[in-house]
Amino acid sequence: MRKTAGILAALAVVAVAYVATTWYVGKQAHATIEQAVAQANERMAQAMVAQPGAGKAKLAVAEYRRRVFSSDVVYSLQLQDESGQKQEFLLSDHLQHGPFPLDAIRTGRLAPMLALSQARLLPSAATQAWFDSLDGDTPVTGRTEVRFGGKAVSEWTFKPLNVAQGGEVLKFSGGTMQASFDNDFSDSRVSGEFDLLDYSMGAEAERIAIDGVRFEYEASGGEGTRMHSTTRAARLDLEVPDEDTVSLRDAVMDVSSEQSGDLASGAIRYDFGQVQLGTRNLGQMSMGARGRDLSMPALSELAQVYDELSARHGPREEEWQLSPDEAALLQEKFLALLASNPVLIFDPLVWKNDQGESSAGLTVELTRPAGSAEAASIDALLQQAVRGLELNLRIEKAMFVRAMAQLQGAADDPEITALAGSLYDEYANRLQAAGLVAFAEQAATAKIVYRDGRIDANGRQMPVAEFMQRALLALLM
């Protein structure tokens, strides 16, 4: 009897200890979730601040009910587009507290963890059609193991969608996504894939279809934040009524950014393995842009002022009628952005076809104009803000002739080919005579550098006024 009583007492102590531990772990999970939500909002704000008027996104904990062994959480993601329209997405999350969640033990996961999350999308105005297409079943589910030490692994499944509403048709194949987090959740790796996204406004309207999408995303925090993402699509088709279909094969979008202190740099690049216009293969294309020494506080303030003006006057800048105070405020924020001497680089636009290759690249160095710029017009301000510029250009004749003939829909027409060749020769000779291009090996090349108020055109120094005069005479005579 005494032995049995001792065993029961020991079990009671273990049970009480486990309940207390589970309650504490649940409390820690709550704090971890709040931290993760704050970090998510910070990352989204950083991603959108460089896109004035692109809209806003905010993640919030709409509801949190914590119990001893589990908690139920509802997250709200609110998206606002540039026109001010809002959409809300709701996610329900059932958290089983650690250190040993029951469902984890059932699946053979015996390692201690902070919580086991099992989430699903909830109906909202933005997602109701998706639920209806699945007879009320949730289209998105996720399973996440939140581990000790600021680590987590997550897997998500997205079900297919096929809806037609108000003339709009949307087809989605469904997909999967995997994510891992480390370093107190400040480092993350995400990858995913889906086979098809097809959207159109109706049978006789514009249509876009994307096949075979794969994406990867990495981000790291700490003293400096870094982000890199790559998205690949086997094919992207854009159909416009009464126009040839534009088809991009083996498309890749690469985006990266880095921030240290207040200054940030970023880059975006597109590569297309094949560009097709109707039945015409235009060849391969790549293009990109980079920026460095961008002041994030100044960019954020400029974006905020832009958003306020957009909300007040409408999203189209050409229709704005700014008051003197509004114009002065916008100029002030723009000048503050120039104070860090940012540099914008447009990576070479490279176009290859079966006859050759042409390319064009531009680098623009900016600075805050010296003295007062209050009375300067926007055009004058931009001229004063450019402290350096470099243009590199190379256009091969055979490639140019082939591209122009294809764009005219007459690649095999001798007259169109001859006309394109004559057009190339005429302007190449004019620009060469003006000293603005060099011509060798059936290719026109140019290197134009502007600095300290002077132009270097292919090694020949001249004032800006002389360069502009030569260019106008060559192009307009």
Side-chain angles (χ1 to χ4, degrees), residues 77-318:
L77 176 62
Q78 293 187 348
L79 302 180
Q80 178 179 321
D81 63 21
E82 60 180 2
S83 66
Q85 293 184 341
K86 296 182 179 180
Q87 288 186 320
E88 183 179 38
F89 298 84
L90 299 174
L91 190 71
S92 173
D93 188 5
H94 179 67
L95 287 172
Q96 292 186 17
H97 302 161
F100 299 103
L102 181 59
D103 282 352
I105 296 175
R106 287 172 177 167
T107 58
R109 294 288 299 159
L110 302 179
M113 64 182 70
L114 194 61
L116 174 65
S117 162
Q118 297 180 88
R120 59 188 179 89
L121 190 68
L122 294 177
S124 67
T127 60
Q128 189 61 55
W130 203 352
F131 279 85
D132 293 342
S133 70
L134 297 172
D135 296 326
D137 193 13
T138 183
V140 181
T141 57
R143 184 182 187 279
T144 303
E145 295 181 5
V146 185
R147 299 169 181 172
F148 292 94
K151 301 179 180 181
V153 292
S154 186
E155 296 180 355
W156 293 81
T157 301
F158 303 83
K159 292 184 178 180
L161 171 64
N162 192 340
V163 296
Q165 189 175 27
E168 297 179 87
V169 179
L170 178 62
K171 299 177 183 178
F172 174 57
S173 64
T176 60
M177 185 177 71
Q178 302 79 38
S180 63
F181 304 87
D182 204 345
N183 191 22
D184 202 20
F185 304 105
S186 61
D187 298 346
S188 59
R189 293 179 178 84
V190 181
S191 63
E193 58 185 19
F194 62 86
D195 292 331
L196 173 67
L197 178 64
D198 190 325
Y199 173 77
S200 68
M201 295 293 292
E204 301 297 329
E206 295 181 1
R207 172 177 173 263
I208 183 169
I210 310 175
D211 296 333
V213 174
R214 308 289 183 269
F215 60 88
E216 298 177 349
Y217 169 92
E218 292 188 12
S220 61
E223 295 182 359
T225 59
R226 296 179 178 85
M227 182 278 290
H228 179 251
S229 70
T230 303
T231 304
R232 306 175 185 274
R235 178 170 178 163
L236 187 154
D237 290 344
L238 176 61
E239 298 179 4
V240 178
D242 303 323
E243 300 288 346
D244 289 328
T245 297
V246 177
S247 181
L248 307 175
R249 310 287 182 89
D250 299 324
V252 180
M253 180 180 70
D254 193 272
V255 182
S256 62
S257 66
E258 182 175 351
Q259 181 175 347
S260 179
D262 289 343
L263 296 181
S265 61
I268 184 169
R269 184 162 189 84
Y270 300 92
D271 294 283
F272 306 114
Q274 178 181 320
V275 179
Q276 191 167 320
L277 184 61
T279 59
R280 290 159 283 168
N281 180 5
L282 301 183
Q284 304 174 21
M285 288 187 186
S286 62
M287 63 191 77
R290 292 178 284 148
R292 68 170 188 263
D293 297 331
L294 296 168
S295 170
M296 294 308 293
L299 185 59
S300 178
E301 291 182 10
L302 177 61
Q304 181 178 353
V305 170
Y306 180 95
D307 287 341
E308 292 173 353
L309 293 175
S310 180
R312 192 177 306 155
H313 299 286
R316 300 179 61 179
E317 300 96 322
E318 63 271 16

Side-chain angles (χ1 to χ4, degrees), residues 349-359 394-400 443:
L349 165 63
V350 180
W351 185 351
K352 301 179 183 179
N353 60 23
D354 57 359
Q355 295 298 312
E357 173 183 323
S358 295
S359 63
R394 175 182 172 83
I395 302 179
E396 297 182 2
K397 180 177 179 179
M399 177 271 163
F400 175 87

Side-chain angles (χ1 to χ4, degrees), residues 331 333-344 363-373 376-389 450-453:
Q331 179 173 295
K333 299 305 180 184
F334 178 65
L335 291 173
L337 180 63
L338 297 177
S340 61
N341 294 330
V343 178
L344 302 178
T363 298
V364 181
E365 301 174 6
L366 301 172
T367 190
R368 178 167 183 153
S372 175
S377 66
I378 292 297
D379 291 340
L381 184 61
L382 288 175
Q383 292 179 19
Q384 297 172 28
V386 177
R387 59 187 173 93
L389 182 149
Y450 165 78
R451 194 173 300 279
D452 299 327

